[in-house]
């Protein structure tokens, strides 16, 4: 479970990581009673990335402009997620920006410190620009200073960055986290450092040891139960943004690529769920197949979704069981269809179902058995379409949402 930025910064402030004066905004009118000075930055509080490009971050200098901007941001979906809260924060003039993180490396079962002198780092081409230090023994300030030296920092700046790293590690251990990230850590003309944005990923298995974290998770679950969304998307709000193609993927990159391809092909993408991570509503450990089954259920319950496009690639846990989950969903769909398609005279006259159709693309040798199994399934019509190429899968999904291919009616 990932926290929202305003929650992350509350934790940062408590542990001693420098953050700007800020105020949580639940409604645009609250900006009339703003306690921080203008100019300010208004930030949409969503789990989705690329808020700036989407228009979810605005710099404003007056109350009137702030209220107008807040009204717009509250109605702006970013990757299908609408904010329930905004963060109003003082504007900061940074001269340089760094990336810092403490992450649990499951390969070596040790925490790792990460640092880069670029904030907007491209992970695929980071190479030698991303420095790391593995915490092999009990943590000491030595590890933080070592990373700062690897980054080429000196003097007071090295001390300031090292101090932030020490606090990040303290938070990482204190809360049993999977990730603590500061991106960017900005440095102004005076050499002062400031965490302008941050990310915290909570280890779901540790919730039982931290009642305050379990309480946050429970509040998230209660608030979003009816919306049925995960950490990277939410139900669209408003008929003009209700997409017809739901997307299930196993990584942010693959979901973004699929989303863009659907748009380019003339389709209307709806909810896009990342199955790699647990949903915020999950308060107990889940497997990949658990999340796949839940994702299918979430999208099937969305009346605007006509087609579910599953795009899984690479390697996932329980790859062979993926086919069983999909088969179970399709079989349930067939039973629903059969109960509706039998006419009064028993001739099986066809009538459309509320169930969305499935277009499935499983790429990678791990999915060979799953693909073979799904190819043997007997389904009615095009309830399940198995495609090897992503472009073909997207084209098929878009085709199925066209009026000539899909006529959706209410169940009676």
């Amino acid at each position: 479970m990932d926290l929202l930025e305003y929650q992350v910064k509350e934790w940062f402030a408590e542990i001693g990581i420098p953050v700007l004066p800020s105020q949580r905004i639940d409604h645009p009118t609250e900006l009339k009673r703003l306690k921080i000075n203008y100019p300010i930055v208004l930030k949409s509080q969503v789990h989705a990335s690329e808020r700036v490009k989407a228009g979810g971050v605005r710099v404003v200098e007056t109350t009137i402009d702030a209220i107008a901007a807040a009204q717009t941001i509250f109605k702006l979906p970013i990757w299908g997620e609408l904010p329930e809260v905004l963060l109003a924060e003082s504007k900061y003039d940074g001269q340089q920006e760094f990336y810092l993180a403490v992450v649990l490396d499951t390969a070596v079962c040790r925490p790792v410190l990460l640092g880069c002198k670029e904030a907007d780092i491209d992970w695929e081409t980071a190479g030698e620009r991303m420095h790391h230090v593995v915490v092999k023994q009990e943590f000491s300030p030595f590890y933080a200073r070592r990373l700062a030296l690897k980054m080429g920092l000196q003097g007071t700046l090295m001390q300031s960055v090292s101090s932030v790293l020490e606090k990040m590690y303290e938070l990482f251990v204190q809360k049993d986290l999977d990730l603590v990230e500061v991106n960017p850590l900005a440095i102004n003309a005076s050499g002062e450092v400031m965490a302008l944005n941050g990310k915290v990923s909570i280890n779901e298995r540790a919730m039982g040891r931290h009642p305050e974290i379990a309480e946050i998770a429970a509040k998230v679950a209660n608030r979003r139960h009816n919306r049925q969304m995960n950490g990277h998307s939410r139900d669209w709000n408003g008929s003009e943004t209700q997409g017809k193609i739901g997307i299930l993927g196993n990584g942010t990159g693959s979901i973004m690529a699929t989303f863009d391809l659907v748009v380019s092909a003339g389709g209307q993408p709806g909810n896009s769920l990342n199955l790699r991570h647990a949903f915020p509503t999950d308060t107990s450990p889940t497997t990949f197949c658990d999340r796949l089954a839940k994702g299918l259920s979430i999208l099937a319950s969305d009346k605007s979704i006509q087609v579910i496009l599953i795009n899984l690639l690479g390697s996932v846990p329980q790859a062979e069981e993926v086919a069983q989950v999909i088969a179970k969903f399709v079989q349930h769909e067939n039973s629903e269809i059969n109960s509706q398609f039998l006419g009064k005279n028993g001739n099986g006259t066809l009538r459309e179902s509320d169930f969305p159709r499935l277009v499935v693309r499983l790429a990678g040798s791990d999915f060979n058995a799953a693909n073979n199994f799904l190819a043997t399934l007997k389904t009615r019509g095009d309830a399940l379409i198995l495609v090897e190429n992503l472009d073909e899968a997207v084209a098929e999904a878009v085709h199925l949402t066209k009026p000539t291919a899909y006529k959706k009616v209410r169940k009676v």
Side-chain angles (χ1 to χ4, degrees):
M1 185 183 83
D2 293 342
L3 297 186
L4 293 169
E5 181 190 359
Y6 81 92
Q7 296 170 317
V8 171
K9 287 187 172 176
E10 288 175 358
W11 282 13
F12 280 3
E14 291 173 3
I15 206 74
I17 297 173
V19 293
L20 293 166
S22 62
Q23 186 173 329
R24 168 178 166 164
I25 304 297
D26 294 287
H27 191 274
T29 56
E30 293 183 7
L31 288 161
K32 295 179 180 179
R33 300 179 294 277
L34 194 63
K35 298 178 181 179
I36 55 180
N37 296 326
Y38 287 94
I40 64 168
V41 182
L42 283 177
K43 299 182 180 182
S44 177
Q45 295 301 284
V46 294
H47 292 95
S49 58
E50 300 187 348
R51 292 180 299 174
V52 176
K53 293 181 180 179
V57 178
R58 309 277 184 96
V59 178
V60 292
E61 298 189 1
T62 66
T63 301
I64 294 176
D65 290 343
I67 292 174
Q71 290 172 340
T72 299
I73 295 174
F74 269 117
K75 297 176 182 178
L76 177 68
I78 302 177
W79 281 93
E81 184 177 357
L82 282 167
E84 295 180 351
V85 177
L86 304 187
L87 181 67
E89 190 173 67
S90 297
K91 188 174 181 293
Y92 189 78
D93 294 322
Q95 303 297 312
Q96 192 174 5
E97 294 183 345
F98 295 162
Y99 172 90
L100 297 177
V102 182
V103 62
L104 179 64
D105 189 333
T106 55
V108 297
C109 298
R110 299 299 303 172
V112 177
L113 308 183
L114 298 175
C116 182
K117 294 177 75 172
E118 300 176 37
D120 296 325
I121 188 71
D122 183 347
W123 285 90
E124 295 184 358
T125 60
E128 296 180 354
R129 291 176 293 165
M130 181 64 74
H131 305 279
H132 74 278
V133 172
V134 179
V135 181
K136 297 180 179 179
Q137 300 175 343
E138 184 177 350
F139 184 81
S140 73
F142 160 78
Y143 288 105
R145 289 197 297 270
R146 184 180 177 188
L147 180 64
L149 288 171
K150 280 190 170 187
M151 294 170 63
L153 306 182
Q154 298 178 347
T156 56
L157 183 56
M158 183 195 74
Q159 295 297 331
S160 298
V161 172
S162 298
S163 177
V164 172
L165 280 165
E166 291 175 35
K167 295 296 184 182
M168 291 170 64
Y169 189 87
E170 183 180 348
L171 179 64
F172 178 84
V173 173
Q174 185 183 101
K175 302 290 188 180
D176 286 326
L177 303 175
D178 284 337
L179 170 72
V180 178
E181 180 182 87
V182 175
N183 185 27
L185 179 74
I187 297 91
N188 66 10
S190 302
E192 298 174 333
V193 298
M194 189 68 62
L196 298 190
N197 197 1
K199 181 178 179 180
V200 163
S201 293
I202 294 171
N203 189 317
E204 59 188 22
R205 295 178 295 277
M207 287 185 182
R209 298 191 293 272
H210 299 277
E212 74 282 5
I213 296 177
E215 184 178 350
I216 292 174
K219 288 180 179 179
V220 170
N222 291 335
R223 185 170 61 249
R224 299 176 183 173
H225 176 72
N226 293 330
R227 297 190 177 185
Q228 294 180 306
M229 47 76 71
N230 79 345
H232 306 286
S233 69
R234 171 180 309 204
D235 290 345
W236 297 92
N237 186 14
S239 59
E240 71 279 5
T241 57
Q242 289 181 335
K244 298 178 181 180
I245 301 174
I247 299 171
L248 293 178
N250 62 325
T252 303
S254 64
I255 288 179
M256 292 174 66
T258 308
F259 191 101
D260 290 341
L261 285 172
V262 169
V263 174
S264 298
Q268 301 175 27
N271 279 354
S272 303
L273 309 183
N274 187 354
L275 304 178
R276 179 170 291 179
H277 307 290
F279 297 171
T281 54
D282 295 330
T283 57
S284 58
T286 60
T287 66
F288 182 84
C289 285
D290 290 336
R291 297 191 288 275
L292 174 59
K294 185 173 182 178
L296 286 167
S297 176
I298 289 173
L299 295 182
S301 66
D302 186 340
K303 300 306 179 185
S304 65
I305 297 295
Q306 297 178 355
V307 178
I308 297 176
L309 175 55
I310 301 177
N311 178 30
L312 304 181
L313 67 158
S315 177
V316 302
Q318 308 168 296
E320 294 183 359
E321 296 179 30
V322 165
Q324 299 290 340
V325 174
I326 295 174
K328 184 177 180 180
F329 178 83
V330 173
Q331 288 164 359
H332 181 264
E333 173 180 349
N334 282 338
S335 66
E336 287 282 328
I337 293 174
N338 289 335
S339 68
Q340 298 178 57
F341 282 26
L342 294 179
K344 292 182 179 180
N345 58 2
N347 62 0
T349 303
L350 187 66
R351 185 170 58 136
E352 295 294 343
S353 162
D354 272 342
F355 259 94
R357 292 161 177 174
L358 259 63
V359 177
V360 180
R361 184 252 185 169
L362 307 178
S365 58
D366 286 358
F367 292 115
N368 287 342
N371 277 315
N372 292 337
F373 177 80
L374 291 175
T376 65
L377 284 183
K378 294 182 180 180
T379 61
R380 181 181 293 270
D382 47 15
L384 171 64
I385 298 176
L386 199 59
V387 183
E388 294 183 3
N389 181 275
L390 179 56
D391 289 330
E392 294 177 6
V394 169
E396 192 65 44
V398 172
H399 169 72
L400 290 175
T401 62
K402 300 302 181 183
T404 56
Y406 194 103
K407 297 178 180 179
K408 193 172 183 180
V409 299
R410 296 177 61 86
K411 289 181 181 179
V412 295

